[in-house]
Amino acid sequence: MILPIGGVGTRFLPLSRVFPKELWPLVDIPLLQHIVKEAKDSGINEIIFVISPDKKIVFDYFVKAPNGFEPAKKIEKILSERKKDSMLKELKDLDEFLKGLSFSFVFQKKPLGDGHALMQTAKLVEKEPFAVSFGDDIVEAQTPCLEQLLKVFKTCQRPVIALHSLPKEKLPSYGVVKAEKIANRLFRVKGIIEKPSLEEIPSDLAIVGKYILTPEIFEYLRRTPPDKGGEIRLAGALEKMIKDGKMVYGYEFEGKWLECGNKADWLKSNFYLALKHPQYGPELRQFIKEVI
C-alpha cells in the first residue's frame, strides 16, 4: 500500500509547522496507525510511505522505535522501574502490531500533488497492482474499506475508487464522479470533476482517498500536466484513462467515513471515536452530561 503524506499540513497550522498532522492522535493512537491497521486487517503487509524530508519522525515511530530506539528504551526502563505495567503494555502492543509489516520510505522533496507523490514509488511498485490510502480518511467498517475494494478488484482487475454518498450542498468540496451503476454498490466511473459547482455536480458520489490501482496509472501520471496550482493530480490521470476508454470502477463502500482533513473534522472524528471507546467512552459521556 502506498501512503502519501508529503503535504505541508497548512490546515493544521501552527502545530503542523513542527509536528506532522498524520501523527496527531485519533483518540489514543496516531492517525497514521489507524490507516496502517486498516491495511494490515485487509491482508496488506507492505507499506510505502511517501514523505517530505522534514517528516522523518514517521520513520522513527514505525521503524526505529520498535527496534531499539534509545529514547524508547529509556522510557521503557523508567516505566518498568515505576511498575507502570499498563503503560508498558501499550508499548508492547505497538511492537506486536508492527510485527509482520514491512515499511519503505521515499521522499517527495516538494509538495507537487498526490499524483506526483505516487510517481515517486514507481520503481518500488514495478508491475504489481497496489492500494493507495491518503492520510486524511478513516473508515469505520465491519469489513475494512480496503478489503472491500480488493474484493472488487479481484473480480474486475481494473482500478477501483472508494466512493461515498453525500448531500448535494457538501459535494463542491470534493472530487465527484459521473457514474453508471452496474451492480449493488458498484459503478462504472465515466468521469471525474474536482470540486464542481452546484450546477455541474454529476452525482451524489464523492471520492474518498482510498484506491486499488494498476501500474498503468504511472504512465498516465507522467502524461498528466500540472493543474493551475502546479500540482499533478491522481484524479486528472484517472480522467485521462477514462477518456481513453479504460475501465475504472467505483465502489460505494459499507462503513462510516471519518474525515481528518482539517481541524474541525479531526475534532469531530476524535469525538465520535472517543465516545465509542470502551475505556474512555463511559467517562466522557458522563463528563458531557455534567458540562452541558
Side-chain angles (χ1 to χ4, degrees):
M1 179 184 77
I2 299 173
L3 219 169
I5 55 168
V8 295
T10 53
R11 294 176 180 173
F12 289 83
L13 291 170
L15 181 55
S16 58
R17 290 192 308 171
V18 295
F19 194 75
K21 69 180 179 68
E22 294 87 0
L23 286 180
W24 287 27
L26 196 55
V27 189
D28 57 346
I29 62 173
L31 175 58
L32 273 184
Q33 190 172 331
H34 286 273
I35 296 173
V36 172
K37 183 179 186 303
E38 180 190 339
K40 185 175 184 179
D41 290 346
S42 300
I44 298 169
N45 55 24
E46 296 181 19
I47 313 295
I48 302 172
F49 285 103
V50 184
I51 64 173
S52 60
D54 58 352
K55 290 188 178 181
K56 293 179 181 178
I57 191 173
V58 174
F59 175 84
D60 293 342
Y61 186 84
F62 284 101
V63 179
K64 202 171 180 181
N67 292 282
F69 190 35
E70 193 60 38
K73 290 170 65 177
K74 184 178 180 180
I75 292 171
E76 287 185 20
K77 182 180 179 181
I78 292 171
L79 292 176
S80 180
E81 291 172 349
R82 296 178 180 177
K83 301 188 184 303
K84 301 290 186 179
D85 294 339
S86 62
M87 296 179 184
L88 271 172
K89 183 179 182 303
E90 290 189 49
L91 291 177
K92 298 299 182 184
D93 286 346
L94 174 60
D95 291 351
E96 189 64 30
F97 164 72
L98 294 173
K99 286 181 180 178
L101 294 173
S102 68
F103 298 95
S104 302
F105 293 80
V106 295
F107 288 109
Q108 184 185 24
K109 294 181 181 179
K110 293 182 179 180
L112 298 176
D114 53 16
H116 180 267
L118 293 185
M119 289 170 65
Q120 312 312 304
T121 69
K123 291 183 179 179
L124 290 176
V125 171
E126 295 182 337
K127 297 181 180 180
E128 296 294 326
F130 57 95
V132 176
S133 190
F134 290 104
D136 293 339
D137 296 309
I138 301 293
V139 173
E140 180 196 46
Q142 186 172 357
T143 301
C145 182
L146 285 175
E147 183 179 341
Q148 295 179 50
L149 300 184
L150 283 167
K151 287 179 180 178
V152 175
F153 179 80
K154 286 178 181 178
T155 300
C156 68
Q157 296 294 305
R158 295 292 184 272
V160 185
I161 303 171
L163 302 175
H164 195 274
S165 176
L166 288 178
K168 185 175 181 179
E169 62 272 15
K170 290 188 176 184
L171 291 167
S173 298
Y174 300 86
V176 182
V177 297
K178 179 180 180 182
E180 173 190 355
K181 190 169 186 178
I182 56 178
N184 183 38
R185 295 184 173 273
L186 183 63
F187 299 82
R188 177 180 178 179
V189 178
K190 305 179 82 172
I192 299 172
I193 302 178
E194 282 288 324
K195 298 183 178 180
S197 65
L198 287 173
E199 293 72 27
E200 60 183 357
I201 290 172
S203 74
D204 66 347
L205 295 170
I207 295 175
V208 178
K210 297 179 186 293
Y211 308 77
I212 308 297
L213 300 174
T214 57
E216 186 179 22
I217 192 66
F218 292 116
E219 179 57 34
Y220 278 90
L221 285 168
R222 293 185 191 101
R223 290 160 43 193
T224 300
D227 62 13
K228 293 179 180 179
E231 298 186 340
I232 298 173
R233 310 297 303 183
L234 174 58
L238 289 168
E239 177 72 6
K240 282 184 175 293
M241 289 184 71
I242 294 165
K243 288 182 177 178
D244 281 353
K246 307 286 186 179
M247 290 290 290
V248 175
Y249 292 91
Y251 187 71
E252 188 179 3
F253 60 84
E254 296 183 62
K256 183 174 180 60
W257 180 16
L258 299 172
E259 297 182 79
C260 299
N262 57 58
K263 291 178 185 177
D265 286 339
W266 173 74
L267 287 167
K268 291 174 187 175
S269 295
N270 260 293
F271 191 64
Y272 173 82
L273 290 175
L275 287 174
K276 298 185 70 175
H277 194 282
Q279 179 180 349
Y280 306 120
E283 184 177 345
L284 285 172
R285 284 193 290 272
Q286 181 60 40
F287 175 75
I288 290 169
K289 289 179 182 178
E290 294 171 2
V291 298
I292 293 180

Coordinates of all heavy atoms in Angstrom, one line a residue, residues 177-238:
V177 N -17.8 11.8 -8.9 CA -17.8 11.0 -10.1 C -19.1 11.1 -10.9 O -20.2 11.2 -10.3 CB -17.4 9.5 -9.8 CG1 -16.1 9.4 -9.2 CG2 -18.5 8.9 -8.9
K178 N -18.9 11.0 -12.2 CA -20.1 10.7 -13.1 C -20.0 9.2 -13.2 O -19.0 8.6 -13.6 CB -19.9 11.4 -14.4 CG -21.1 11.1 -15.4 CD -20.8 11.8 -16.8 CE -22.0 11.5 -17.7 NZ -21.7 12.2 -19.0
A179 N -21.1 8.5 -12.9 CA -21.1 7.1 -12.8 C -22.3 6.4 -13.3 O -23.4 6.9 -13.2 CB -20.8 6.7 -11.4
E180 N -22.1 5.2 -13.8 CA -23.2 4.3 -14.2 C -23.3 3.1 -13.3 O -22.3 2.4 -13.1 CB -23.0 3.8 -15.6 CG -24.0 2.8 -16.1 CD -23.6 2.2 -17.4 OE1 -22.6 2.6 -18.0 OE2 -24.3 1.2 -17.9
K181 N -24.4 2.9 -12.6 CA -24.5 1.8 -11.7 C -24.6 0.5 -12.4 O -25.4 0.3 -13.3 CB -25.7 2.0 -10.8 CG -25.7 0.9 -9.6 CD -26.8 1.3 -8.6 CE -26.7 0.4 -7.4 NZ -27.7 0.8 -6.3
I182 N -23.8 -0.5 -12.1 CA -23.8 -1.8 -12.8 C -24.1 -3.0 -11.8 O -24.3 -4.1 -12.3 CB -22.4 -2.0 -13.5 CG1 -21.3 -2.0 -12.6 CG2 -22.3 -1.1 -14.7 CD1 -19.9 -2.2 -13.2
A183 N -24.0 -2.8 -10.5 CA -24.4 -3.8 -9.5 C -24.6 -3.1 -8.2 O -24.4 -1.9 -8.1 CB -23.3 -4.9 -9.5
N184 N -25.0 -3.8 -7.2 CA -25.1 -3.3 -5.9 C -23.9 -2.6 -5.4 O -22.8 -3.3 -5.3 CB -25.6 -4.3 -4.9 CG -25.9 -3.8 -3.5 OD1 -26.4 -2.7 -3.4 ND2 -25.5 -4.5 -2.5
R185 N -23.9 -1.3 -5.2 CA -22.8 -0.5 -4.7 C -21.6 -0.4 -5.7 O -20.6 0.3 -5.4 CB -22.2 -1.1 -3.4 CG -23.2 -1.0 -2.2 CD -22.5 -1.4 -0.9 NE -23.4 -1.2 0.2 CZ -23.5 -0.1 0.9 NH1 -22.7 0.9 0.6 NH2 -24.4 0.0 1.9
L186 N -21.7 -1.0 -6.9 CA -20.6 -1.0 -7.9 C -21.0 -0.1 -9.0 O -22.1 -0.2 -9.6 CB -20.3 -2.4 -8.3 CG -19.2 -2.5 -9.3 CD1 -17.9 -2.1 -8.7 CD2 -19.1 -4.0 -9.8
F187 N -20.1 0.8 -9.5 CA -20.3 1.7 -10.5 C -19.2 1.7 -11.6 O -18.0 1.4 -11.2 CB -20.4 3.1 -10.0 CG -21.5 3.3 -9.0 CD1 -21.4 3.0 -7.7 CD2 -22.8 3.9 -9.4 CE1 -22.4 3.2 -6.8 CE2 -23.8 4.1 -8.5 CZ -23.6 3.7 -7.2
R188 N -19.5 2.0 -12.8 CA -18.5 2.3 -13.8 C -18.3 3.8 -13.8 O -19.3 4.5 -14.0 CB -18.9 1.8 -15.2 CG -17.9 2.2 -16.3 CD -18.3 1.7 -17.6 NE -17.3 2.2 -18.6 CZ -17.4 1.9 -19.9 NH1 -18.4 1.2 -20.4 NH2 -16.4 2.3 -20.7
V189 N -17.1 4.2 -13.5 CA -16.8 5.7 -13.5 C -16.7 6.2 -14.9 O -15.8 5.7 -15.7 CB -15.6 5.9 -12.6 CG1 -15.3 7.4 -12.6 CG2 -15.8 5.4 -11.2
K190 N -17.5 7.2 -15.3 CA -17.4 7.7 -16.6 C -16.9 9.1 -16.7 O -16.7 9.7 -17.8 CB -18.9 7.7 -17.2 CG -19.5 6.3 -17.1 CD -20.9 6.3 -17.7 CE -20.9 6.2 -19.2 NZ -22.3 6.0 -19.7
G191 N -16.5 9.7 -15.5 CA -15.9 11.0 -15.5 C -15.7 11.4 -14.0 O -16.3 10.9 -13.1
I192 N -14.7 12.3 -13.8 CA -14.4 12.9 -12.5 C -14.4 14.4 -12.6 O -13.7 15.0 -13.5 CB -13.1 12.3 -12.0 CG1 -13.1 10.8 -11.9 CG2 -12.7 13.0 -10.7 CD1 -11.7 10.2 -11.5
I193 N -15.1 15.1 -11.7 CA -15.0 16.5 -11.6 C -14.5 16.9 -10.3 O -15.1 16.5 -9.2 CB -16.4 17.2 -11.9 CG1 -16.9 16.8 -13.3 CG2 -16.3 18.7 -11.8 CD1 -18.3 17.3 -13.6
E194 N -13.4 17.7 -10.2 CA -12.9 18.1 -8.9 C -13.6 19.4 -8.5 O -13.7 20.4 -9.2 CB -11.4 18.4 -9.1 CG -10.5 17.2 -9.1 CD -10.4 16.5 -7.7 OE1 -10.4 17.2 -6.7 OE2 -10.3 15.3 -7.7
K195 N -14.1 19.3 -7.3 CA -14.8 20.5 -6.7 C -15.8 21.2 -7.6 O -15.6 22.3 -8.0 CB -13.8 21.5 -6.1 CG -12.9 20.8 -5.1 CD -11.9 21.8 -4.5 CE -11.1 21.2 -3.4 NZ -10.1 22.1 -2.8
P196 N -16.8 20.4 -8.1 CA -17.7 21.0 -9.0 C -18.6 22.1 -8.4 O -18.8 22.1 -7.2 CB -18.6 19.8 -9.4 CG -18.5 18.9 -8.2 CD -17.2 19.1 -7.6
S197 N -19.1 23.0 -9.2 CA -20.1 23.9 -8.8 C -21.4 23.1 -8.6 O -21.6 22.0 -9.1 CB -20.3 25.0 -9.8 OG -20.9 24.5 -11.0
L198 N -22.4 23.7 -7.9 CA -23.7 23.0 -7.7 C -24.3 22.7 -9.0 O -25.1 21.7 -9.1 CB -24.6 23.9 -6.8 CG -24.2 24.0 -5.3 CD1 -25.1 25.0 -4.6 CD2 -24.3 22.6 -4.6
E199 N -24.1 23.5 -10.0 CA -24.8 23.3 -11.3 C -24.2 22.2 -12.1 O -24.8 21.6 -12.9 CB -24.7 24.6 -12.1 CG -25.5 25.8 -11.6 CD -24.9 26.4 -10.4 OE1 -23.6 26.3 -10.2 OE2 -25.6 27.0 -9.6
E200 N -22.9 21.8 -11.8 CA -22.3 20.8 -12.6 C -22.0 19.5 -11.9 O -21.4 18.6 -12.4 CB -20.9 21.3 -13.2 CG -19.9 21.7 -12.1 CD -18.6 22.3 -12.7 OE1 -18.5 22.3 -13.9 OE2 -17.8 22.7 -11.9
I201 N -22.6 19.4 -10.7 CA -22.5 18.1 -9.9 C -23.1 16.9 -10.7 O -24.3 17.0 -11.1 CB -23.2 18.2 -8.6 CG1 -22.4 19.2 -7.7 CG2 -23.3 16.9 -7.9 CD1 -23.1 19.5 -6.4
P202 N -22.3 15.9 -11.0 CA -22.8 14.8 -11.9 C -23.5 13.7 -11.1 O -24.2 12.8 -11.7 CB -21.5 14.3 -12.5 CG -20.4 14.5 -11.5 CD -20.8 15.8 -10.8
S203 N -23.3 13.6 -9.8 CA -23.9 12.5 -9.0 C -23.7 12.9 -7.5 O -23.2 14.0 -7.2 CB -23.2 11.2 -9.2 OG -21.9 11.1 -8.6
D204 N -24.2 12.1 -6.6 CA -24.0 12.4 -5.2 C -22.8 11.6 -4.6 O -22.7 11.4 -3.4 CB -25.3 12.1 -4.4 CG -25.7 10.6 -4.4 OD1 -25.1 9.8 -5.2 OD2 -26.5 10.2 -3.6
L205 N -22.0 11.0 -5.5 CA -20.9 10.2 -5.0 C -19.6 10.9 -5.0 O -19.0 11.2 -6.1 CB -20.8 8.9 -6.0 CG -22.0 8.0 -5.9 CD1 -21.9 7.0 -7.0 CD2 -22.1 7.3 -4.6
A206 N -19.0 11.1 -3.8 CA -17.8 11.8 -3.6 C -16.6 10.7 -3.6 O -16.9 9.6 -3.1 CB -17.8 12.6 -2.4
I207 N -15.5 11.1 -4.0 CA -14.3 10.2 -3.9 C -13.7 10.3 -2.5 O -13.4 11.4 -2.0 CB -13.3 10.6 -5.0 CG1 -13.8 10.4 -6.4 CG2 -12.0 9.8 -4.8 CD1 -12.9 10.9 -7.5
V208 N -13.5 9.2 -2.0 CA -12.8 9.0 -0.7 C -11.3 8.6 -1.0 O -11.1 7.9 -2.0 CB -13.5 8.0 0.2 CG1 -12.7 7.8 1.5 CG2 -14.9 8.4 0.5
G209 N -10.4 9.0 -0.2 CA -9.0 8.8 -0.5 C -8.5 7.4 -0.3 O -7.4 7.1 0.3
K210 N -9.1 6.4 -1.0 CA -8.7 5.0 -1.0 C -8.9 4.4 -2.3 O -10.0 4.6 -2.9 CB -9.5 4.2 0.1 CG -9.2 4.8 1.5 CD -10.0 4.0 2.6 CE -9.8 4.6 4.0 NZ -8.4 4.5 4.5
Y211 N -7.9 3.7 -2.9 CA -7.9 3.2 -4.2 C -7.2 1.9 -4.3 O -6.3 1.6 -3.5 CB -7.2 4.2 -5.2 CG -7.6 5.6 -5.2 CD1 -7.2 6.5 -4.1 CD2 -8.4 6.2 -6.2 CE1 -7.5 7.8 -4.1 CE2 -8.7 7.5 -6.2 CZ -8.3 8.3 -5.1 OH -8.6 9.7 -5.1
I212 N -7.6 1.1 -5.3 CA -6.8 0.0 -5.8 C -6.4 0.3 -7.2 O -7.3 0.6 -8.0 CB -7.5 -1.4 -5.7 CG1 -8.1 -1.6 -4.3 CG2 -6.5 -2.5 -6.1 CD1 -7.1 -1.7 -3.2
L213 N -5.1 0.4 -7.5 CA -4.7 0.9 -8.8 C -3.8 -0.2 -9.5 O -3.2 -1.0 -8.8 CB -3.9 2.2 -8.7 CG -4.7 3.4 -8.1 CD1 -3.8 4.6 -7.9 CD2 -5.9 3.7 -9.0
T214 N -3.6 -0.1 -10.8 CA -2.7 -0.9 -11.6 C -1.5 -0.1 -12.0 O -1.6 1.2 -12.1 CB -3.4 -1.5 -12.8 OG1 -4.0 -0.4 -13.6 CG2 -4.6 -2.4 -12.4
P215 N -0.4 -0.7 -12.3 CA 0.8 0.1 -12.7 C 0.6 1.0 -13.9 O 1.4 1.9 -14.1 CB 1.8 -1.0 -13.0 CG 1.4 -2.2 -12.2 CD -0.1 -2.1 -12.2
E216 N -0.4 0.7 -14.7 CA -0.7 1.5 -15.9 C -0.9 3.0 -15.5 O -0.6 3.9 -16.3 CB -1.9 1.0 -16.6 CG -2.3 1.7 -17.9 CD -3.6 1.1 -18.5 OE1 -4.4 0.5 -17.8 OE2 -3.7 1.2 -19.7
I217 N -1.3 3.3 -14.2 CA -1.5 4.6 -13.8 C -0.3 5.5 -13.9 O -0.3 6.7 -14.1 CB -2.1 4.6 -12.4 CG1 -2.7 6.0 -12.0 CG2 -1.1 4.2 -11.3 CD1 -3.9 6.4 -12.8
F218 N 0.9 4.9 -13.7 CA 2.1 5.7 -13.7 C 2.4 6.3 -15.1 O 2.8 7.5 -15.1 CB 3.3 4.8 -13.3 CG 3.3 4.3 -11.9 CD1 3.2 3.0 -11.6 CD2 3.4 5.3 -10.9 CE1 3.2 2.6 -10.3 CE2 3.3 4.9 -9.5 CZ 3.2 3.5 -9.2
E219 N 2.1 5.6 -16.2 CA 2.3 6.2 -17.5 C 1.3 7.4 -17.7 O 1.7 8.4 -18.2 CB 2.0 5.2 -18.6 CG 2.1 5.7 -20.0 CD 3.5 6.3 -20.3 OE1 4.5 5.9 -19.7 OE2 3.5 7.3 -21.0
Y220 N 0.1 7.3 -17.2 CA -0.9 8.3 -17.3 C -0.5 9.5 -16.4 O -0.7 10.7 -16.7 CB -2.3 7.8 -16.9 CG -3.0 7.2 -18.1 CD1 -2.8 5.8 -18.3 CD2 -3.7 7.9 -19.0 CE1 -3.4 5.2 -19.4 CE2 -4.3 7.3 -20.1 CZ -4.2 5.9 -20.3 OH -4.7 5.3 -21.4
L221 N 0.1 9.2 -15.2 CA 0.6 10.3 -14.4 C 1.7 11.1 -15.1 O 1.7 12.3 -15.0 CB 1.1 9.8 -13.0 CG 0.0 9.3 -12.1 CD1 0.6 8.5 -10.9 CD2 -0.8 10.5 -11.5
R222 N 2.6 10.4 -15.7 CA 3.7 11.1 -16.5 C 3.1 12.0 -17.6 O 3.7 13.0 -17.9 CB 4.6 10.1 -17.1 CG 5.4 9.2 -16.0 CD 6.4 8.3 -16.7 NE 6.9 7.4 -15.7 CZ 6.5 6.1 -15.6 NH1 5.6 5.6 -16.4 NH2 7.1 5.3 -14.7
R223 N 2.0 11.6 -18.1 CA 1.4 12.4 -19.2 C 0.4 13.5 -18.7 O -0.2 14.2 -19.5 CB 0.7 11.5 -20.2 CG 1.7 10.6 -21.0 CD 1.0 9.4 -21.5 NE -0.3 9.6 -22.1 CZ -1.2 8.7 -22.5 NH1 -0.9 7.4 -22.3 NH2 -2.4 9.0 -23.0
T224 N 0.2 13.5 -17.4 CA -0.8 14.5 -16.9 C -0.1 15.8 -16.5 O 0.8 15.8 -15.7 CB -1.4 13.9 -15.6 OG1 -2.1 12.7 -15.9 CG2 -2.4 14.9 -15.0
P225 N -0.5 16.9 -17.1 CA 0.2 18.2 -16.9 C -0.3 18.7 -15.5 O -1.3 18.3 -15.0 CB -0.4 19.1 -18.0 CG -1.7 18.5 -18.3 CD -1.5 17.0 -18.2
P226 N 0.6 19.5 -14.9 CA 0.2 20.1 -13.6 C -1.1 21.0 -13.7 O -1.4 21.5 -14.8 CB 1.4 21.0 -13.2 CG 2.5 20.5 -14.0 CD 1.9 19.9 -15.3
D227 N -1.9 21.1 -12.7 CA -3.1 21.9 -12.7 C -2.7 23.3 -12.5 O -1.5 23.7 -12.4 CB -4.1 21.4 -11.6 CG -3.6 21.5 -10.2 OD1 -2.5 22.1 -10.0 OD2 -4.2 20.9 -9.3
K228 N -3.7 24.2 -12.3 CA -3.4 25.6 -12.1 C -2.5 25.9 -10.9 O -1.9 26.9 -10.8 CB -4.7 26.4 -12.0 CG -5.5 26.4 -13.3 CD -6.8 27.1 -13.1 CE -7.7 27.1 -14.4 NZ -9.0 27.8 -14.3
G229 N -2.6 25.0 -9.9 CA -1.8 25.2 -8.7 C -0.4 24.6 -8.8 O 0.3 24.6 -7.8
G230 N -0.1 24.1 -10.0 CA 1.2 23.5 -10.2 C 1.3 22.0 -9.7 O 2.5 21.5 -9.6
E231 N 0.2 21.4 -9.4 CA 0.2 20.0 -8.9 C -0.2 19.0 -9.9 O -1.1 19.3 -10.7 CB -0.7 20.0 -7.6 CG -0.2 20.9 -6.5 CD -1.0 20.6 -5.2 OE1 -2.1 20.1 -5.3 OE2 -0.5 21.0 -4.1
I232 N 0.4 17.8 -9.8 CA -0.1 16.7 -10.7 C -1.1 15.9 -9.8 O -0.7 15.4 -8.7 CB 1.1 15.8 -11.1 CG1 2.1 16.6 -12.0 CG2 0.6 14.6 -11.9 CD1 3.4 15.9 -12.3
R233 N -2.3 15.7 -10.3 CA -3.4 15.1 -9.6 C -3.7 13.7 -10.0 O -3.8 13.5 -11.3 CB -4.6 16.0 -9.6 CG -4.4 17.5 -9.3 CD -3.9 17.7 -7.9 NE -4.8 17.2 -6.9 CZ -4.7 17.3 -5.6 NH1 -3.6 18.0 -5.1 NH2 -5.5 16.8 -4.8
L234 N -3.9 12.8 -9.1 CA -4.3 11.5 -9.4 C -5.6 11.5 -10.2 O -5.8 10.7 -11.1 CB -4.4 10.6 -8.2 CG -5.0 9.2 -8.3 CD1 -4.2 8.4 -9.3 CD2 -5.1 8.5 -7.0
A235 N -6.5 12.4 -9.8 CA -7.9 12.4 -10.4 C -7.7 12.8 -11.9 O -8.4 12.3 -12.7 CB -8.7 13.5 -9.7
G236 N -6.7 13.6 -12.2 CA -6.5 14.0 -13.6 C -6.0 12.8 -14.4 O -6.4 12.6 -15.6
A237 N -5.2 12.0 -13.9 CA -4.7 10.8 -14.6 C -5.8 9.8 -14.8 O -5.9 9.2 -15.8 CB -3.5 10.2 -13.8
L238 N -6.6 9.6 -13.8 CA -7.7 8.7 -13.9 C -8.7 9.2 -14.9 O -9.3 8.4 -15.7 CB -8.4 8.5 -12.5 CG -7.6 7.7 -11.5 CD1 -8.3 7.9 -10.1 CD2 -7.6 6.2 -11.9

